[in-house]
Amino acid sequence: MESVIKRILVCDDVADNSFLLKTILQASDCLIEIVDSGAAVLDWLETAPNPPDLLILDVMMPKMDGFEVVRHLP
């Protein structure tokens, strides 16, 4: 059966966490994009031609946490 999720955007300010998530998720044949801040998520979403199928957010980040990012989503 074909996987439904193809493109995942991961946001975490800790590089080791992002690397771990990317390693695990790549085993599912998904395209993984990594950003390191809430502002970077919003910038990525503004410039990406298509939204990701899944957005994974760290909820404890400096300046803009994951909850604040969600409040700014279009």
Side-chain angles (χ1 to χ4, degrees), residues 36-64:
D36 62 0
S37 70
V41 169
L42 298 177
D43 290 341
W44 190 93
L45 291 172
E46 280 185 19
T47 59
N50 298 310
D53 297 303
L54 177 66
L55 174 58
I56 299 175
L57 293 168
D58 182 358
V59 295
M60 295 184 356
M61 295 183 290
K63 297 184 183 177
M64 185 183 297

Side-chain angles (χ1 to χ4, degrees), residues 4-72:
V4 175
I5 297 174
K6 295 292 184 186
R7 194 166 168 207
I8 301 172
L9 177 59
V10 174
C11 176
D12 198 313
D13 60 320
V14 178
D16 287 343
N17 293 346
S18 296
F19 177 77
L20 178 62
L21 280 168
K22 185 174 183 175
T23 302
I24 292 168
L25 294 169
Q26 280 180 330
S28 301
D29 294 327
C30 295
L31 174 62
I32 313 301
E33 300 283 342
I34 303 290
V35 294
D36 62 0
S37 70
V41 169
L42 298 177
D43 290 341
W44 190 93
L45 291 172
E46 280 185 19
T47 59
N50 298 310
D53 297 303
L54 177 66
L55 174 58
I56 299 175
L57 293 168
D58 182 358
V59 295
M60 295 184 356
M61 295 183 290
K63 297 184 183 177
M64 185 183 297
D65 64 23
F67 295 113
E68 186 67 23
V69 172
V70 171
R71 284 192 279 276
H72 284 87

